[in-house]
C-alpha cells in the first residue's frame, strides 16, 4: 500500500479566492472625487453647496476607513492598541518625501503610494474650504452668531489641518496656518506648538539669524518671539535661537502680507468676548463627554473604565481625548446616533447654521453612521470613521484613546486585572478589510452564488414555480443522497450500527424546530430532538456567522483542548492542562448550562445614558451605577411597584433576578465588569460600607412606626455578587496554569476576604422577604463560603465535604431550588445535585490529583491506573474480587429496568434504587405490580432478570454492602466521570493514549481516538447540552468540532497506515465507534445540504457586513467538507473490519465494499469534495478497487477515480465520467504499475492504428514516462548479448528454409522481477507497437528523425530480452528495421552511394527478425482469424524484403559473406572459411515466392501478393537456373492482381502497377519472339486500358498497339507520378532505329514532357507502391539515356545545363560517380566534335616554338583575349573546358579534360597569334633596333622575373654562394621547350576577366566556381596559376553554380556574355507555380528542385 501525505495540508490550488484589486480601484475613485471637489471649490461662492456635497462624498469613500488611513489616536480608540510598525512592516516602511507621517508610514507597505497623498491633500483643502465658507459668510454681512460661526469654522479647519499634518509634518506653511487658527481659538499653547514646529526642521542652522531662514520661518520666529513675551516666558526668550531671532525684524508691510487669514480676528480683538475672560471664577466647570463607539454595555463599560484609569493615573490627554477641566466636572455619555444627548446639547446643535456648520454636521453624521455599523464590542476591529482627532470646545470628548494608558495602570498599580481577560481573538487567515457592500472585493464563490440565483429567477415567477425550479436543481443531489443513505443505512443496520438515519429525517431536522410538536409520540419526539438539536445548532451557526465563531473552529479560541490537539512539548504543561481541566470540569461536570438569553445590543442603554446625563455625576459614580444595572435586580416598593430612585439599580434586571443571573454576558462585558470591580474596589467598598453603617443605625432611627426605607437588598445583592466575582477571579489566577505574580494573588485574596465579611454583615442584617429571594442570597452566600473554604489552605477537606453535605441538606429542605449563575465560572449553579457533584469531586480529588500531578513517567503504571477507570470492561480482577464485577453488571441491569419503567411516568420507580443494596433491589423487584412487571417484560423479561440477579448475588440477599474493594473506587470514579463533563474524560483518554503511544502500541492508540469521538458525540445528546442556551450550544458545538477534526484525522492516519490498528477492536467497540461516526457524518451532511440549497439559490448566501467574515466562513466551510470526507473514509475502514469479524453476515464482502465506496464517491463527487483533505478518499478508494478488481463492474468506478486523481480519461466512450472538480496530480510509479493492467484491459480490443487517435494514447505515454526504462539485470544483459550477436550475424540460407517449418529458436536465460512482469503483461510490446504505428501512419513530405522507430525498437528489445518467443514482437521489430531502411533511402541517395554498410546492416536486421517471427509464429501462434491475418501480413512483408534486397539499389549485398569468415582448424592447421554458403539471387526469389504463396493462403484477394509473386516468378523465369516456372504462371499472377485491385474511389488515384507490368512483360515476350502478337493482344485484354484498342495481329502493328496502351496509361495518370510508361514508350520508339535522328528527337520529346524540363530539371517521383530507393535507380538510368540522346542530337546547350545540375545533385542518383563519368565523357566528346579540335593538336602547334617565344606570344594572346570586346568560338570552347574541370572538382580523373583544354588552346594559338603579330609587328621592330633602351631593360627585368626559362637575378641567388661565378654554375639549366603545364596554365588564365579600375598592386578575387562533389579537391599542381604581375585579371565566374546549396550568390564579377556557358537557366521554368500545381499537383512544386520521391500518389511498374 502506498504511503499517504499529510491529511491536514490544504493544497494551494484549492484556493478559489480572486486577486483583490479593490484597494487600487477605491483609491482611483477617491482621486476622482477629490478632483471634482477641488474644481468646485475653486469656482467661488456660487458653487459652495456643490463643493460641500463633493467633499462629503469624498470623505464617505472607502479609503478613509482603511486602518492605515487612521491617526494613531483614532487607531488606539478603535483597536485598543497602537499599531506595531516594526513588527507589521519591518524595514519595508520607507519615508518618501513629505509623506512620511505616521499615518502614511503605516500604510506605506500595504497601500499604494498615492493613498497618503490623497489623504493629506483632502484634509488640507477641506480645512481651507471651511475657512473660505466663513470668509464668504462674513462678506455677506450676516452678523448673526458671528462668534459661534468663527469658532465652529475654526474647529473644523483645525481638525482638518491636524489630520493633514499627521500625513505630512514637513509643510511649514500649513503649520503656520494652524498657528493662526489656534490664535483665533485663544489657545496660546497651540499657537506656540505650531510656530515651534515651523522652526523645528531647521535645528541649529538658524544661528545666522533670519538671513539663513526663509520668509515663512522668519515670520514664524517673529510671531513666536511676540508670543513668548506676552506669556512672560523669559527663560525661553533668552534661549540662543530666540535671542538671535530678535536681532532682525520683518517689515510691517511684509508681515501684513504674510498673514494667511487677514479677515479673521486676532486674539487681542476677541479678548473681551472670551468666555474665560467674562467668568469671574476663571475656568467654569465642564462635563467630560464619554464618546461610546458602539451601542453595547461592554463598550460603555470600557469607555467609563478608560476615564477612571486616566484620572487615577493623573493623565491629561492630548488632542480631543482629555482636557484640563475645572473643579466639579461631570460626565456626559454620548451614544452613536445621538442617543443619550441632553436637551442642552440638542439646543446647541439646532443653532448651527451656514454651510460650514452643515459640514461639521456631516462629519458627526459620518462618524455616527460608521459607528452604528458595529453591532457589538467585537466589531471595534473593523469600525472606522472619518471623524477627526481634535475636538475644541467646552466639552472635552473623552474616547477610547485613554485605553493605551490602561496597560500602564495595570502595570503600575492595577495589575490585578491583567489576568482576567477573556479568550483571545484571532482574525481569520485572510481577514483583509474588504468592502462592506458585497461588491468587487467579495470572493468568486459568493459572486457565483449571487449570479446563479439572480440569473435564473425573475420577478414574475410565482412561488410554486420557484419551488419547483429549486427542486429540479436539487434533484441531482437528492438522487445521490438517497442512494447514499439507503445503501449505507442497510449495510450498517446489518451490523447493528445506528445513527445515520434516513435522508428524510435529516431534511426534517434542518427544516424547522417546531416540527417535533407534530409528533404524537412524546418519547419519539424527545429522541428526535436529542439527535437533531446539534444539527439545528449547526444550521444557526451557518446563518448567523461572525468572526468569533470562525476563530473557535479554526484556531480553538476559548477551548481547553481536551483532545490533545495542541501538543505541549513540556511535560509540566501537559500536566497543568489536565489538572486544570479536572479542577474546572469536576466542579462543573455534569451541570446544565443555564438557558439564558445573551445580553447584547443596546437593551436599556439609552435609558441609562439619559439618566446619567440628567445628573451631575463623577465618573466613579457613573461606574458604580453601571455596575448596579448589571448586578442588582429591579427594586420594588412597598406596594409592589418598581421604585423610582435616582439610581440605576435593576435597570436590566427583573423582580426576581438581576442581569447577572438573568442574562448570559458576552466575554467583553464580563471582562469590563471584572476590571471595574477590581480597579474601583476601594470606592465600591467605601460606598457599601456606608450602607452597613446606615443599616446598623436603622433600628435606632425608627420613630413612631416609621421604618427605614427598604433599599437594603440592593447593596446586599450587589455585595454578594461582588464577593462571588472576586472569588471567581481568585480561583482563576491561582490555578496551576496561571502565571500571575504573588503580589497580585495576595491582593486579590485580601479582597475576597474583605467582601466575604461585607456580604456576611449585609446578609445578617437582611430583612426576610415574602418571595424568598433573600433566602436565595443566603444560599448563595453559604455556597460561596463553602467554595472559599475549599480553596483555603488551612481548611481540611473533610470540613469542606461537611459544608457541602450541610448545603445539600438545606437545599433539599428548601424544595431543591436551582439557582443559575451563568456568568460565574466557579459557581454557575447552586443546587442539591451540584452539591452532590462537589462532594464526589472532593472524594476523588486525590486520585485525579495523583494522575495529573504525578511525576511518574512510566507508561505502564499510567495504563494500569487509567485503564480501569476509563474502560471497566478491560479490568481483570483476582478471584476474590470477581463478585464485585458481578455486582457492577447487576447494577447495569437495574439501570436498564429503571430506564424501561421511566418511559411511563405512572410506572416510574425512585432514583434511589441505584444506591440501594442489591438485596433490597431484588426484593423490590419481586414486589412490583403486575402493570409494572408487564412494562418491564416488554423489553427485559423480568423473570430472567431476577433469576440472573439471584445467580450473581448467590444466596447472600441480606443487602448489606460489601466491603470496600478496588471495584468500589473504580465504580466511584467511573460514576464521577459519567456525571461529569466530557472534557475530563477526553483529557484522561489523552493521557492514556500518550502512554500507549510511548510503548508503541498503535491498536490502543487508535482505540483511544475512537473512544474520544464517541464521548464527544454522546455529549451532544446529554441534558447539559440540550438544556443550555442556543448561544452556548453553538459555541460548544464549534469547540467540539475543532477537537473532532483532529481526532478523526489522527484516527484515519492510523487506520490507513498501520495494518495492526484494529487488533484491539471487538464487535461492541466497532459498533459504538461506527455509530458515533455515523452521527458525525449525519451532522456534517447537513452542512452539505445547506451548501446545496445556497448554490442553487434556494437559500440566500452568507452576506456579512464585514468582508473578513466571508473569508473565515469560507475557511470553515472548507474545514467541514474535509471533515466529512475524512469521516466517510474512516467509517469505511471500520466497516471493512466489521465485515471481517462478521463473515457470516456478508458471504461476499467485495461487492458490498465496492457498493459502499461507490455511494460515498457519488455523494462527495457531485459536490466537488473529492479534492478535499488532499484527496484522501480517492487515494484510498484507488487502492481498494485495485485490491477488489475481481468484482464485476469495478472498471467504471476505477475509471472515475483515475479521472478524479490524475485527469486520466479511461473508457470515456464506455463509461460516463463526471467532473468532480479535482486538480489532476502527477502519477507516481507505484500507482502507474498498479493501474497498468486496467489500462491494458481497456485498450486490448482497439485497433493499434486507431489507438493513437483515442484518449488512451496520452495515458499510455504518461504511464510509460512514469514507469521509465527497466533496470538491466544480469539475466537481461545476457539475453541482450545473445540477441545482438544473432541480429548482426550473416544470413544463413538454411535458417531461412528452417523458419518455414517452424524451426529456429534462440537460447536464453529466464528473467524474473518487475521487468519480466511488465513484458509478460504486454507493456513493452504495446509501447513499441504504438510508436511504430504512429511512424507508419504519418504522411511525411520531408525527412524526419525516426525517434518513434527508435523508441519502438527499444521497447521490442526489452520485450525480447525478457522472453524471445513472442512472434509478433519479432515481426514488429522487423517492421521497425524496414522503416529505418526506407527512411535512409527514401529522401536521398547519399547513404546508398557512400554508406552502403549501414544499409546492408539494416537489411540483415530486418531479415533476421522476419526469420525468427516466421519460425515462432508457425510454431506457437494461436489459430485465431485475427492472428492468421497478421501472419499473412508478415509473410507479405518478409517476401517484399527478400525481393527488394535482391534488386537494385541493394543488389544482394546484404547476403554477401565477405566480412563473415570464421576460423577453422584442420589437417593443415588454422584456416579461414565462410561458415555457410551465400544466398543466390534465384534462391532469394524462390524463397520470396514461397512467402507470397503462404500469404495468399490467408488473403487471396490482396492484389499486392499476386503482383509481387508475379515479379518473383518473372525473375525466376528469366534466370538461367530456372526449370520450374512457366510464362503462364507469371502472366496469371499479374492478371489476378489486376482482378483484385480495389476499385477507384473519389479523389483517389488508380493503381497502375499491375497494368503496366502486364503490358511490359507481354511486350518483352513479343519482342523476344516468345509470344505471338495476337496471343499477346489476347492477354492484354485483361487490363481495361487495352480493351478499346484494336488488337495487333502482326509484328508490324505491335509497336503502335503498345504505344496506344501506354498513352492511355499516361493519360489516366492525372497526377503524373508514374514515369515508367514514358521510359517504355521512348525506348520502343528509339531502340529499333537508334541511329535515326527522328527517333532520337521523338524520344527526347517524350522525356521532356514530364521527366526533364526545359531547364534540365528532372522530375522522378516515388509512387505509393514503389519500393523505397528505386526512383534513384530510375533517375540514373533516365539521365544516362537522355545524355546519349543529347549527344546524338548535338544539343550542346541542354547537355551543358544537365551536366551542371548533375554535378550539383549527387543525392538524386544511384551510383552518381558512374553517371557523372558518363556525363563528362559524353560532354567532352560533344565539345571536341562541335569545336572541330583534333586530338593531340598541341604537338603539331608547339613542336617548333621555343619557350621564350611562347611566353611572349601567349602573354599578348592573353591580353587580347581578356579584352571585353574579344569574342571567338575557340576561346569560348577553351573556357567551357576549363570551367568543366573546375566543376568536376576531382570527382573524375582530369587528364581527358586537360587534353581537350590543351588542344583547344593550341587551336586558338594557331588561329590568333599570327593576327596579333601582324598588328604589333612595327612596334617589335622598333624595340629590336634599340635593345639597350630603358624601356626594353625594364620590360626584360619584369618579364624575366615571371619567365621560368630565364635565370633569376643575382639578388635571387640562394644564400651560401657568396661567389657569383660559383652560384651561376649551380643554377639549373633553362627549359627551351613548351610543356603541357605551360599550355594548361595559359588556357586557365583565359577564364578570368580584368577588374574594373584595378591597380597593378591589387589581385583579383579567386574564382567562386565551387561544387558539391563528393571527392578530393584538385591538387595544387593542377590548379590554375596566378595571372602575370603586370596584368590584374578580374573574375569571370560561372553563374550556373551560384545556386549550389550552402553557397552564396554570384560575386562582383557578374555573369559572362549572353549565350555562353556562364549563364544558366536554372532559375527559369517553362511553368509557373500555379501551372505546376494544376498539372502535377501541389506537392510537385515544393519537391521539384530536390528531385526526391514521394510516398503517395500513383504507381509505376517495376521491370527490374
Amino acid at each position: 500500500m502506498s504511503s499517504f501525505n499529510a491529511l491536514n495540508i490544504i493544497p494551494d490550488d484549492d484556493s478559489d479566492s480572486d486577486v483583490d484589486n479593490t484597494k487600487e480601484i477605491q483609491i482611483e475613485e477617491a482621486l476622482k472625487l477629490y478632483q471634482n471637489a477641488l474644481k468646485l471649490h475653486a469656482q467661488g461662492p456660487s458653487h459652495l453647496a456643490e463643493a460641500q456635497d463633493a467633499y462629503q462624498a469624498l470623505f464617505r469613500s472607502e479609503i478613509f476607513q482603511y486602518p492605515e488611513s487612521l491617526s494613531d489616536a483614532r487607531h488606539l480608540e478603535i483597536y485598543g492598541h497602537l499599531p506595531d510598525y516594526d513588527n507589521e512592516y519591518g524595514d519595508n516602511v520607507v519615508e518618501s518625501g513629505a509623506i512620511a507621517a505616521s499615518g502614511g508610514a503605516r500604510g506605506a507597505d500595504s497601500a499604494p503610494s498615492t493613498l497618503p497623498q490623497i489623504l493629506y491633500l483632502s484634509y488640507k483643502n477641506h480645512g481651507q474650504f471651511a475657512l473660505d465658507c466663513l470668509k464668504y459668510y462674513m462678506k455677506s454681512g450676516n452678523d448673526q452668531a458671528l462668534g459661534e460661526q468663527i469658532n465652529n469654522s475654526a474647529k473644523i479647519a483645525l481638525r482638518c489641518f491636524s489630520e493633514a499634518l499627521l500625513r505630512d509634518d514637513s509643510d511649514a506653511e500649513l503649520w503656520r496656518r494652524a498657528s493662526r487658527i489656534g490664535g483665533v481659538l485663544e489657545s496660546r499653547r497651540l499657537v506656540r506648538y505650531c510656530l515651534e514646529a515651523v522652526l523645528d526642521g531647521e535645528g541649529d542652522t538658524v544661528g545666522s539669524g533670519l538671513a539663513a531662514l526663509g520668509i515663512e520661518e522668519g515670520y514664524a520666529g517673529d510671531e513666536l518671539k511676540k508670543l513668548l513675551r506676552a506669556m512672560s516666558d523669559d527663560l525661553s526668550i533668552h534661549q540662543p535661537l530666540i535671542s538671535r531671532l530678535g536681532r532682525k525684524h520683518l517689515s510691517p508691510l511684509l508681515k501684513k502680507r504674510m498673514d494667511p487669514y487677514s479677515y479673521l480676528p486676532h486674539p487681542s480683538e476677541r479678548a473681551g468676548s472670551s468666555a474665560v475672560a467674562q467668568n469671574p471664577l476663571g475656568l467654569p466647570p465642564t462635563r467630560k463627554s464619554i464618546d461610546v463607539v458602539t451601542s453595547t454595555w461592554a463598550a460603555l463599560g470600557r469607555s467609563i473604565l478608560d476615564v477612571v484609569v486616566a484620572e487615577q493615573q493623573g493623565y491629561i490627554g492630548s488632542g480631543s481625548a482629555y482636557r484640563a477641566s475645572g473643579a466639579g466636572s461631570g460626565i456626559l455619555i454620548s451614544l452613536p446616533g445621538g442617543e443619550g444627548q441632553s436637551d442642552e446639547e440638542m439646543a446647541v446643535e439646532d443653532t448651527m447654521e451656514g454651510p460650514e456648520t452643515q459640514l461639521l454636521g456631516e462629519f458627526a453624521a459620518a462618524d455616527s453612521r460608521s459607528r452604528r455599523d458595529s453591532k457589538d464590542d467585537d466589531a471595534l476591529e473593523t469600525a472606522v470613521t472619518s471623524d477627526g482627532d481634535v475636538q475644541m470646545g467646552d466639552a472635552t470628548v473623552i474616547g477610547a484613546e485613554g485605553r493605551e494608558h490602561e496597560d500602564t495602570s495595570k502595570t503600575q498599580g492595577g495589575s490585578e486585572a491583567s489576568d482576567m481577560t477573556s479568550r483571545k481573538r484571532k482574525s481569520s487567515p485572510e481577514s483583509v478589510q474588504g468592502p462592506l457592500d458585497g461588491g468587487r472585493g467579495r470572493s468568486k464563490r459568493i459572486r457565483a452564488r449571487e449570479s446563479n440565483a439572480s440569473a435564473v429567477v425573475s420577478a414574475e415567477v410565482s412561488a410554486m414555480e420557484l419551488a419547483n425550479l429549486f427542486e429540479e436543481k436539487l434533484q441531482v443531489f437528492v438522487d445521490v443522497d438517497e442512494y447514499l443513505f439507503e445503501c449505507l443505512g442497510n449495510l450498517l443496520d446489518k451490523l447493528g450500527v445506528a445513527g445515520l438515519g434516513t435522508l428524510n429525517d435529516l431534511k426534517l431536522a434542518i427544516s424547522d424546530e417546531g416540527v417535533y410538536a407534530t409528533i404524537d409520540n412524546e418519547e419519539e419526539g424527545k429522541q428526535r430532538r436529542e439527535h437533531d438539536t446539534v444539527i439545528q445548532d449547526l444550521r444557526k451557526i451557518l446563518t448567523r456567522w461572525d468572526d468569533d465563531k470562525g476563530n473557535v473552529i479554526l484556531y480553538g479560541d476559548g477551548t481547553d483542548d481536551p483532545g490533545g490537539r495542541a501538543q505541549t512539548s513540556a511535560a509540566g504543561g501537559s500536566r497543568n492542562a489536565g489538572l486544570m481541566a479536572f479542577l474546572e470540569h469536576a466542579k462543573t461536570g455534569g451541570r446544565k448550562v443555564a438557558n439564558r438569553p445573551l445580553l447584547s445590543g443596546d437593551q436599556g442603554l439609552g435609558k441609562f445614558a439619559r439618566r446619567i446625563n440628567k445628573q451631575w455625576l463623577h465618573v466613579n459614580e457613573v461606574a458604580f451605577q453601571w455596575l448596579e444595572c448589571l448586578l442588582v435586580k429591579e427594586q420594588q416598593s412597598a406596594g409592589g411597584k418598581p421604585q423610582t430612585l435616582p439610581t440605576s439599580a435593576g435597570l436590566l434586571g427583573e423582580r426576581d433576578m438581576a442581569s447577572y443571573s438573568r442574562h448570559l454576558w458576552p466575554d467583553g462585558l464580563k471582562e469590563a465588569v471584572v476590571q471595574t470591580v477590581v480597579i474601583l474596589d476601594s470606592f465600591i467598598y467605601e460606598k457599601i460600607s456606608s450602607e452597613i453603617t446606615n443599616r446598623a443605625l436603622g433600628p435606632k432611627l425608627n420613630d413612631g412606626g416609621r421604618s427605614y426605607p427598604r433599599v437594603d437588598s440592593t447593596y446586599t445583592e450587589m455585595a454578594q455578587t461582588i464577593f462571588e466575582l472576586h472569588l471567581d477571579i481568585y480561583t482563576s489566577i491561582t490555578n496551576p496554569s496561571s502565571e500571575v505574580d504573588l503580589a497580585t494573588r495576595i491582593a486579590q485574596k485580601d479582597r475576597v476576604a474583605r467582601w466575604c465579611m461585607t456580604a456576611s454583615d449585609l446578609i445578617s442584617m437582611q430583612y426576610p422577604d415574602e418571595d424568598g429571594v433573600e433566602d436565595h442570597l443566603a444560599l448563595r452566600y453559604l455556597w460561596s463560603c463553602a467554595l472559599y473554604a475549599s480553596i483555603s489552605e488551612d481548611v481540611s477537606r473533610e470540613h469542606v465535604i461537611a459544608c457541602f453535605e450541610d448545603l445539600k441538606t438545606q437545599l433539599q429542605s428548601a424544595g431543591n431550588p436551582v439557582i443559575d449563575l451563568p456568568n460565574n465560572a466557579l459557581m454557575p449553579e447552586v443546587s442539591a445535585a451540584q452539591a452532590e457533584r462537589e462532594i464526589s469531586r472532593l472524594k476523588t480529588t486525590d486520585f485525579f490529583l495523583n494522575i495529573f500531578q504525578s511525576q511518574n513517567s512510566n507508561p505502564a503504571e499510567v495504563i494500569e491506573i487509567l485503564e480501569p477507570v476509563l474502560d471497566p470492561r478491560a479490568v481483570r480482577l483476582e478471584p476474590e474480587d470477581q463478585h464485585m464485577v458481578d455486582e457492577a453488571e447487576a447494577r447495569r441491569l437495574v439501570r436498564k429496568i429503571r430506564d424501561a419503567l421511566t418511559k411511563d411516568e405512572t410506572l416510574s420507580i425512585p432514583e434511589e434504587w441505584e444506591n440501594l443494596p442489591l438485596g433490597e433491589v431484588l426484593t423490590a423487584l419481586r414486589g412490583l405490580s403486575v402493570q409494572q412487571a408487564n412494562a418491564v417484560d416488554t423489553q427485559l423479561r423480568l423473570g430472567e432478570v431476577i433469576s440472573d440477579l439471584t445467580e450473581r448475588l448467590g444466596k447472600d440477599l441480606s443487602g448489606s454492602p460489601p466491603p470496600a474493594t478496588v471495584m468500589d473506587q473504580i465504580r466511584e470514579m467511573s460514576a464521577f466521570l459519567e456525571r461529569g463533563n466530557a472534557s475530563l474524560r477526553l483529557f484522561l483518554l489523552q493521557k492514556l493514549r500518550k502512554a500507549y503511544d510511548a510503548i508503541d502500541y498503535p491498536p490502543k492508540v487508535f482505540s483511544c481516538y475512537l473512544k474520544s469521538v464517541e464521548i464527544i458525540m454522546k455529549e451532544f445528546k446529554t441534558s447539559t447540552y440540550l438544556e443550555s442556551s442556543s448561544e452556548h450550544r453553538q459555541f460548544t458545538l464549534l469547540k467540539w468540532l475543532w477537537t473532532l477534526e483532529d481526532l478523526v484525522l489522527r484516527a484515519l492516519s492510523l487506520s490507513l497506515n498501520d495494518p495492526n490498528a484494529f487488533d484491539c477492536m471487538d464487535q461492541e467497540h466497532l459498533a459504538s465507534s461506527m455509530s458515533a461516526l455515523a452521527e458525525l457524518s449525519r451532522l456534517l451532511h447537513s452542512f452539505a445540504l445547506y451548501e446545496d440549497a445556497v448554490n442553487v439559490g434556494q437559500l440566500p448566501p452568507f452576506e456579512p457586513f464585514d468582508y473578513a467574515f466571508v473569508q473565515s466562513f469560507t475557511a470553515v466551510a472548507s474545514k467541514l467538507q474535509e471533515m466529512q470526507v475524512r469521516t466517510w473514509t474512516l467509517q469505511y475502514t471500520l466497516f471493512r473490519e466489521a465485515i471481517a469479524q462478521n463473515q457470516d453476515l456478508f458471504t461476499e464482502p467485495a461487492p458490498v465494499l465496492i457498493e459502499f465506496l461507490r455511494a460515498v464517491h457519488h455523494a462527495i463527487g457531485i459536490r466537488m469534495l473529492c479534492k478535499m483533505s488532499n484527496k484522501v478518499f480517492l487515494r484510498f478508494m484507488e487502492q481498494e478497487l485495485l485490491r477488489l478488481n475481481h468484482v464485476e463492474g469495478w472498471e467504471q468506478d476505477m475509471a472515475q477515480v483515475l479521472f478524479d486523481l490524475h485527469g486520466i480519461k479511461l473508457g470515456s466512450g464506455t463509461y460516463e465520467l463526471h467532473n468532480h472538480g479535482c486538480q489532476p496530480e502527477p502519477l507516481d510509479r507505484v500507482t502507474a504499475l498498479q493501474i497498468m493492467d486496467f489500462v491494458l484491459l481497456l485498450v486490448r480490443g482497439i485497433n493499434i492504428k486507431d489507438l493513437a487517435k483515442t484518449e488512451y494514447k496520452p495515458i499510455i505515454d504518461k504511464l510509460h514516462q512514469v514507469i521509465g526504462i527497466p533496470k538491466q539485470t544480469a539475466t537481461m544483459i545476457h539475453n541482450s548479448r545473445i540477441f545482438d550477436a544473432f541480429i548482426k550475424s550473416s544470413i544463413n540460407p538454411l535458417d531461412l528454409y528452417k523458419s518455414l517449418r517452424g524451426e529456429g529458436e534462440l537460447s536464453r536465460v529466464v528473467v524474473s522481477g518487475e521487468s519480466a512482469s511488465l513484458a509478460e503483461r504486454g507493456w513493452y510490446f504495446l509501447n513499441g507497437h504504438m510508436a511504430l504505428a504512429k511512424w507508419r501512419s504519418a504522411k511525411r513530405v520531408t525527412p524526419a528523425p525516426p525517434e518513434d522507430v527508435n523508441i519502438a525498437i527499444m521497447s521490442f528489445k526489452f520485450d525480447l530480452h525478457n522472453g524471445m518467443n513472442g512472434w509478433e514482437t519479432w515481426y514488429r521489430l522487423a517492421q521497425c528495421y524496414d522503416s529505418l531502411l526506407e527512411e535512409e533511402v527514401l529522401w536521398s541517395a547519399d547513404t546508398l552511394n557512400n554508406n552502403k554498410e549501414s544499409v546492408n546492416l539494416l537489411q540483415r536486421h530486418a531479415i533476421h527478425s522476419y526469420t525468427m517471427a516466421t519460425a515462432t509464429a508457425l510454431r506457437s501462434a494461436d489459430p485465431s482469424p485475427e492472428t492468421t491475418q497478421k501472419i499473412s501480413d508478415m509473410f507479405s512483408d518478409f517476401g517484399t524484403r527478400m525481393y527488394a534486397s535482391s534488386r537494385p539499389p541493394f543488389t544482394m549485398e546484404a547476403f554477401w559473406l565477405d566480412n563473415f569468415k570464421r576460423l577453422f582448424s584442420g589437417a593443415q592447421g588454422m584456416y579461414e572459411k565462410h561458415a555457410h554458403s551465400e544466398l543466390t539471387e534465384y534462391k532469394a526469389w524462390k524463397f520470396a515466392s514461397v512467402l507470397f504463396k503462404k500469404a495468399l493462403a490467408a488473403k487471396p484477394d490482396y492484389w499486392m501478393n499476386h503482383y509481387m509473386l508475379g515479379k518473383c516468378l518473372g525473375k525466376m523465369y528469366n534466370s538461367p537456373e530456372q526449370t520450374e516456372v512457366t510464362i503462364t504462371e507469371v502472366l496469371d499472377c499479374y492478371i489476378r492482381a489486376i482482378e483484385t485491385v480495389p476499385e477507384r474511389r473519389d479523389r483517389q488515384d488508380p493503381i497502375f502497377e499491375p497494368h503496366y507490368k502486364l503490358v511490359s512483360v507481354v511486350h518483352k515476350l513479343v519482342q523476344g519472339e516468345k509470344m505471338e502478337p495476337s496471343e499477346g493482344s489476347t492477354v492484354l485484354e485483361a487490363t481495361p486500358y487495352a480493351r478499346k484498342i484494336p488488337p495487333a495481329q502482326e509484328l508490324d502493328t505491335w509497336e503502335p498497339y503498345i504505344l496506344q496502351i501506354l498513352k492511355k496509361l499516361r493519360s489516366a495518370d492525372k497526377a503524373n507520378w508514374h514515369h515508367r510508361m514514358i521510359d517504355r514508350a521512348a525506348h520502343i520508339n528509339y531502340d529499333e532505329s537508334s541511329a535515326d535522328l527522328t527517333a532520337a528527337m521523338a524520344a527526347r520529346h517524350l522525356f521532356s514532357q514530364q521527366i526533364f524540363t526545359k531547364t534540365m530539371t528532372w522530375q522522378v517521383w516515388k509512387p505509393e507502391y514503389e519500393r523505397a530507393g528505386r526512383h534513384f535507380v530510375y533517375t540514373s538510368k533516365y539521365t544516362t539515356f537522355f545524355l546519349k540522346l543529347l549527344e546524338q542530337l548535338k544539343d550542346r546547350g541542354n547537355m551543358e545545363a544537365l551536366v551542371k545540375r548533375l554535378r550539383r545533385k549527387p543525392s538524386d542518383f544511384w551510383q552518381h560517380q558512374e553517371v557523372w563519368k558518363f556525363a563528362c565523357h559524353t560532354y567532352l566528346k560533344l565539345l571536341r566534335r562541335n569545336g572541330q579540335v583534333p586530338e593531340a593538336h598541341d604537338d603539331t602547334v608547339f613542336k617548333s616554338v621555343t619557350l621564350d617565344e611562347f611566353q611572349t606570344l601567349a602573354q599578348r594572346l592573353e591580353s587580347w583575349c581578356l579584352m571585353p570586346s574579344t569574342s571567338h568560338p575557340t576561346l569560348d570552347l577553351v573556357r567551357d573546358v576549363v570551367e568543366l574541370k573546375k566543376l568536376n572538382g576531382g570527382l573524375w580523373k582530369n587528364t581527358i579534360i586537360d587534353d581537350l583544354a590543351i588542344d583547344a588552346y593550341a587551336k586558338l594559338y594557331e588561329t590568333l597569334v599570327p593576327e596579333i603579330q601582324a598588328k604589333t609587328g612595327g612596334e617589335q621592330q622598333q624595340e629590336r633596333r634599340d635593345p639597350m633602351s630603358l624601356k626594353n631593360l625594364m620590360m626584360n627585368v619584369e618579364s624575366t622575373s615571371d619567365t621560368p626559362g630565364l635565370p633569376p637575378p643575382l639578388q635571387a641567388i640562394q644564400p651560401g654562394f657568396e661567389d657569383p661565378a660559383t652560384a651561376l654554375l649551380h643554377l639549373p639549366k633553362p627549359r627551351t621547350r613548351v610543356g603541357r603545364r605551360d599550355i594548361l596554365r595559359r588556357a586557365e588564365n583565359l577564364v578570368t576577366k580584368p577588374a574594373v579600375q584595378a591597380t597593378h598592386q591589387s589581385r583579383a578575387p579567386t574564382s567562386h566556381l565551387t561544387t558539391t562533389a563528393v571527392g578530393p579537391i584538385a591538387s595544387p599542381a593542377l590548379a590554375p596559376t596566378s595571372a602575370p604581375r603586370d596584368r590584374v585579371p578580374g573574375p569571370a565566374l560561372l553563374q550556373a553554380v551560384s545556386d549550389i546549396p550552402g553557397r552564396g550568390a554570384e560575386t562582383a564579377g557578374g555573369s559572362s556574355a549572353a549565350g555562353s556557358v556562364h549563364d544558366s537557366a536554372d532559375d527559369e521554368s517553362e511553368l509557373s507555380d500555379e501551372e505546376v500545381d494544376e498539372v502535377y499537383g501541389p506537392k510537385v512544386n515544393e519537391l521539384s528542385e530536390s528531385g526526391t520521391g514521394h510516398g503517395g500518389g500513383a504507381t509505376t511498374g517495376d521491370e527490374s
Side-chain angles (χ1 to χ4, degrees), residues 156-232:
I156 295 174
L158 187 60
R159 181 192 305 168
C160 294
F161 288 165
S162 63
E163 290 288 345
L165 288 170
L166 281 174
R167 278 74 185 175
D168 183 7
D169 59 356
S170 62
D171 192 344
E173 173 63 21
L174 192 56
W175 280 112
R176 199 165 58 82
R177 294 186 182 186
S179 69
R180 182 68 173 87
I181 302 302
V184 174
L185 295 175
E186 301 287 341
S187 176
R188 293 180 175 178
R189 187 175 185 181
L190 182 58
V191 173
R192 179 176 179 178
Y193 179 81
C194 294
L195 292 175
E196 289 177 348
V198 177
L199 302 174
D200 183 58
E202 298 297 330
D204 295 335
T205 61
V206 298
S208 59
L210 293 177
L213 300 177
I215 299 178
E216 295 179 354
E217 290 80 0
Y219 179 80
D222 197 11
E223 292 295 322
L224 179 60
K225 180 178 61 176
K226 291 168 56 178
L227 179 62
L228 294 176
R229 289 175 180 173
M231 296 174 60
S232 300

Side-chain angles (χ1 to χ4, degrees), residues 2 1179 1182 1206 1225-1234 1266:
S2 61
R1179 302 177 194 277
E1182 180 186 24
H1206 310 293
E1225 61 183 27
L1227 273 174
D1228 59 274
R1229 195 170 188 273
V1230 176
T1231 306
L1233 290 173
Q1234 290 173 346
V1266 173

Side-chain angles (χ1 to χ4, degrees), residues 1282-1341:
I1282 295 176
F1283 173 84
D1284 293 340
F1286 168 73
I1287 207 74
K1288 296 178 181 179
S1289 63
S1290 61
I1291 299 174
N1292 190 346
L1294 187 60
D1295 293 339
L1296 297 177
Y1297 300 142
K1298 286 182 178 180
S1299 66
L1300 296 178
R1301 298 195 300 266
E1303 300 176 4
E1305 186 177 2
L1306 296 181
S1307 62
R1308 67 182 183 90
V1309 181
V1310 178
V1311 180
S1312 61
E1314 180 184 287
S1315 180
S1317 176
L1318 294 175
E1320 184 180 359
R1321 288 184 281 179
W1323 175 247
Y1324 297 135
F1325 176 77
L1326 176 64
N1327 283 278
H1329 200 184
M1330 287 183 60
L1332 176 61
K1334 178 183 177 182
W1335 173 263
R1336 290 168 65 91
S1337 62
K1339 291 186 178 296
R1340 292 173 297 278
V1341 296

